[in-house]
Every structure is written in structure tokens, then in C-alpha cells.
């Protein structure tokens, strides 16, 4: 039995199987908190206790989204922050109204007085901070991408299982919230029949930026094997289609040199163009294309082709569909009130208080998308197909 046999099992993408094996978990993952209130954690913190949170890595998304989200939760106190320097930590503390600033994450954890940590660093620090925080008895909310590679992600999962009374959550990709429920609903109701093939394009519309900025996403020291939005897109696709297997990939570095923060040209090794072909559980092929070098492209698009119908999502995330006998696609309804919304911080705090369980996202989900990301990396390096789960 493989190490991933106790993770979510693959589903066959036929109508009955999808309804029973895929649609229910996805619906639960996107459901309002009130629908999950019965799923309590018996070992979680009592609901009337305050929850003290430390912030490690207060960058743009953390400061603009996660910190305000945590502050909106009753009884939550943000009590400490640590960035890459004491000066940066103090600046963040002043801007965010956090009383204590530390020079690094080790000092923050050593100071004690916390119930949970929010990890907002680049991927290279996710594993060591998560393991240390769990050893300190803290709950962990970690920014995506989960880790530098699949091995680190599995270490994080194993650590979370050694501390089953602690809540561990990954921030899910929010880029597909608008369409997640509508796609899940249409597929579970058999709109396309049996899924035959899928095309996904995640393309930037600008031309290649030669000698452009070398930010952390282009630097393997900080980003590991994570490339573009490869892992996040697969994470979203799993919500609609279930996990895949047999990954075959090609990558290119079209912009081989980029300028670092000091303006010096450095070699860029992480790909800026990726093509992936993989299979769903029923054998249907999925083609994904990611690129920073597709000037004047049509941007992001999704096509799901089935035995009885077709679904198309355009660059503005409008959903179109057509069934056998139709002459053209027509826009499908996707009422705003039925769309998923960002509630990561609420789910995290509710899970600590025993009001719901984590579904968006578990560490198990993170291991799945990190193993898929690594399969893309390995296949591109060797030219051979890579089977999932990884051996």
C-alpha cells in the first residue's frame, strides 16, 4: 500500500460515481459554516476562550486579507508578528495594530503566549515553521503553496498527524471561488454526461518580459519547485474533477535572465511556460497550459468536454454550456449569492473552537497538489510520464 492510500481516493467521472464520490466532498468544502456546525472536534479549544495568534510573514496578502479576516472573528487577538528583520516586524506591528514585534520567527515562538500561528512566508519556510509551531502545541494556518516540494509537504502532514488535537489548515486558492460551485453542480447533475477530455489554459496576456524582475516566484531558493500557478490550478481542478494520475510535462524558460532587487542580472531557472497532460480516474485526458510569455493570448480558459455536453469558462469566468442537439453554447446561470466566498480565517477559528472541521484546505489536499507539482517537475526533467501517487 502506498503512502497516499489514506488520502482522498480517486473518483470515476461518470454521473452516479461523481454524485456519490466527488460532489458531496466538494459541496461540503464550499458549504456555509452553518451546514458544517455538527462536525465538531472534541479536542479543540473551548468556544468561550480567547485565541491568541502570532503572525509570521506579514506580506501583502497576509496584511490585506488574512489579518483583517482574523480580526473580524470574535475573541481573536493578534498579539505578535515576525518578519525577516526586527525593523520590518516593528513596521508591520505599527501598521496592523499588533503589540509585539520580533526579529525572527524563532523568537516569536520562544516568547510563548500563543494559541495559533498564521504562516505567511514564502514556501521555503513553511515546513520548519509548521513543525516547530506544532511542537509548541500551536494550531497552524499556512499560506499556499504548501512547501518547496512533496517531501516537505509529507513531513508537514506527518507532523500534523502526530498532533491530532491541533488544527492545521492551508489557505486554498481563491481564483476559482466564483465558478467552483457552478461547475461542481453542473458536473454532479450530469450536464456533460461522462467527462471525455478537459482543456485548461492559465495564460498571462503580456509579452515575455526579457530582463524583467526576478521575484521570489522565479527563485527556487524561496519557491522550490512551485511554478506559476500550477499547484493552485490543479487544486481547483480537483474540486470539480477529482485527482489525476500519469503526468507528462514539458517546460521552457523563455526569459533566462532576470534582474534581482539590486538590479543585477541573474539566471532564472524556474520555467515561465509549462504544458501538462495527465489523466483523470476514468482515463479522460486533461491538458493544462501555463505561461508568462503568451502576448495577446485569450488569457484563462477552461473547456470540459463530455459525452452529452460541453462546458466553457472564459477569461472573465463566465460559464457557457451546450448539450447534444444544441447549435451553440449559451451562458449558464451563476448567481452571485450561490458562489463560494473567502472564509478561511472563519473556518480556522471555528475549527479550533470545535464548530466545524477543516475542508478548505487540509494538509492532505496540500500533499496531493504538491505531489502533482513534483510529478510535473520530474516529467519535464526526464521526458517520462510520472505516476501518482508518487512512489
Amino acid at each position: 500500500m502506498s503512502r497516499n492510500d489514506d488520502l482522498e481516493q480517486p473518483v470515476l467521472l461518470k454521473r452516479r460515481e461523481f454524485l456519490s464520490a466527488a460532489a458531496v466532498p466538494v459541496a461540503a468544502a464550499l458549504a456555509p459554516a452553518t451546514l458544517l456546525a455538527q462536525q465538531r472536534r472534541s479536542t479543540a479549544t473551548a468556544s468561550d476562550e480567547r485565541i491568541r495568534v502570532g503572525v509570521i510573514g506579514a506580506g501583502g496578502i497576509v496584511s490585506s486579507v488574512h489579518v483583517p479576516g482574523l480580526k473580524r472573528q470574535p475573541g481573536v487577538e493578534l498579539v505578535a508578528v515576525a518578519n525577516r528583520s526586527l525593523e520590518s516586524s516593528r513596521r508591520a506591528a505599527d501598521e496592523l495594530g499588533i503589540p509585539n514585534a520580533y526579529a525572527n520567527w524563532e523568537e516569536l515562538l520562544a516568547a510563548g503566549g500563543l494559541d495559533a500561528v498564521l504562516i505567511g512566508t514564502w514556501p521555503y519556510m513553511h515546513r520548519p515553521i509548521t513543525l516547530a509551531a506544532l511542537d509548541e502545541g500551536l494550531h497552524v494556518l499556512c499560506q499556499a503553496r504548501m512547501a518547496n516540494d512533496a517531501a516537505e509537504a509529507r513531513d508537514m502532514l506527518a507532523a500534523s498527524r502526530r498532533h491530532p488535537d491541533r488544527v492545521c489548515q492551508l489557505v486554498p486558492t481563491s481564483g476559482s471561488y466564483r465558478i467552483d460551485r457552478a461547475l461542481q453542480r453542473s458536473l454532479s447533475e450530469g450536464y456533460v454526461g461522462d467527462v471525455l477530455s478537459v482543456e485548461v489554459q492559465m495564460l498571462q496576456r503580456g509579452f515575455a518580459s526579457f530582463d524583467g524582475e526576478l521575484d521570489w516566484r522565479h527563485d527556487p531558493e524561496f519557491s522550490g519547485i512551485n511554478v506559476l500557478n500550477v499547484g493552485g490550478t490543479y487544486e481547483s481542478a480537483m474540486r470539480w474533477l477529482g485527482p489525476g494520475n500519469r503526468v507528462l510535462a514539458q517546460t521552457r524558460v523563455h526569459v533566462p535572465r532576470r534582474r534581482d532587487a539590486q538590479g543585477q542580472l541573474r539566471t532564472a531557472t524556474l520555467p515561465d511556460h509549462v504544458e501538462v497532460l495527465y489523466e483523470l480516474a476514468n482515463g479522460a485526458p486533461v491538458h493544462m497550459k501555463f505561461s508568462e510569455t503568451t502576448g495577446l493570448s485569450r488569457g484563462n480558459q477552461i473547456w470540459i468536454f463530455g459525452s452529452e455536453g460541453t462546458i466553457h469558462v472564459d477569461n472573465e469566468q463566465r460559464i457557457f454550456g451546450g448539450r447534444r442537439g444544441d447549435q451553440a453554447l449559451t451562458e449558464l446561470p451563476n448567481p452571485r449569492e450561490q458562489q463560494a466566498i473567502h472564509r478561511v480565517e472563519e473556518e480556522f477559528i471555528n475549527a479550533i473552537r470545535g464548530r466545524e472541521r477543516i475542508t478548505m484546505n487540509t494538509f492532505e489536499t496540500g500533499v496531493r497538489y504538491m505531489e502533482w507539482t513534483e510529478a510535473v517537475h520530474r516529467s519535464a526533467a526526464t521526458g517520462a510520464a510520472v505516476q501518482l501517487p508518487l512512489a
Side-chain angles (χ1 to χ4, degrees), residues 137-382:
L138 305 181
H139 305 282
V140 174
L141 174 58
C142 183
Q143 183 61 267
R145 307 157 176 93
M146 185 176 184
N148 264 0
D149 54 36
E152 290 187 0
R154 287 192 293 268
D155 285 349
M156 293 168 67
L157 175 60
S160 73
R161 289 174 171 173
R162 290 194 299 271
H163 300 274
D165 58 337
R166 298 297 90 183
V167 172
C168 292
Q169 181 177 13
L170 294 171
V171 175
T173 182
S174 59
S176 62
Y177 280 171
R178 179 176 172 182
I179 59 174
D180 279 333
R181 285 177 173 166
L183 290 184
Q184 180 269 327
R185 182 170 57 249
S186 294
L187 290 169
S188 68
E189 293 173 353
Y191 185 90
V192 304
D194 298 337
V195 174
L196 301 180
S197 66
V198 181
E199 294 276 344
V200 179
Q201 293 187 353
M202 295 295 163
L203 309 179
Q204 296 188 22
R205 304 185 68 184
F207 286 91
S209 179
F210 294 102
D211 296 343
E213 178 187 5
L214 180 76
D215 66 19
W216 68 269
R217 294 173 183 84
H218 298 115
D219 193 332
E221 178 184 354
F222 301 123
S223 194
I225 62 170
N226 296 290
V227 176
L228 302 174
N229 53 351
V230 164
T233 301
Y234 179 68
E235 176 198 323
S236 292
M238 282 195 294
R239 299 176 195 166
W240 325 318
L241 304 166
N245 52 64
R246 198 178 183 279
V247 178
L248 186 63
Q250 289 186 339
T251 62
R252 293 290 184 272
V253 180
H254 289 146
V255 181
R257 300 207 303 170
R258 295 177 180 269
R259 295 192 181 276
D260 62 19
Q262 290 72 43
Q264 299 298 312
L265 281 174
R266 289 177 50 193
T267 300
T269 59
L270 289 181
D272 48 29
H273 185 96
V274 179
E275 306 258 0
V276 186
L277 186 67
Y278 72 96
E279 293 180 358
L280 299 176
N282 70 339
V286 180
H287 174 230
M288 289 187 173
K289 182 176 182 178
F290 309 84
S291 187
E292 289 183 320
T293 61
T294 43
L296 303 182
S297 72
R298 292 186 177 181
N300 300 341
Q301 294 193 52
I302 301 165
W303 288 89
I304 302 174
F305 300 103
S307 59
E308 301 300 324
T310 294
I311 292 175
H312 170 56
V313 182
D314 71 5
N315 190 53
E316 298 177 7
Q317 292 198 323
R318 295 176 300 179
I319 303 174
F320 298 85
R323 307 203 72 217
R324 186 183 296 274
D326 294 339
Q327 299 302 308
L329 300 176
T330 57
E331 188 166 1
L332 300 180
N334 186 19
R336 186 178 182 87
E337 64 272 13
Q338 295 181 17
Q339 298 171 13
I341 60 172
H342 178 91
R343 56 177 302 272
V344 175
E345 302 82 18
E346 179 185 10
E347 185 179 11
F348 181 61
I349 298 303
N350 281 349
I352 293 174
R353 289 184 166 140
R355 296 174 181 170
E356 63 176 301
R357 65 182 179 87
I358 295 300
T359 56
M360 296 282 284
N361 267 338
T362 65
F363 275 19
E364 286 82 1
T365 297
V367 168
R368 279 206 178 276
Y369 73 64
M370 285 306 308
E371 288 208 345
W372 190 83
T373 300
E374 183 146 325
V376 171
H377 174 76
R378 291 185 186 182
S379 177
T382 64

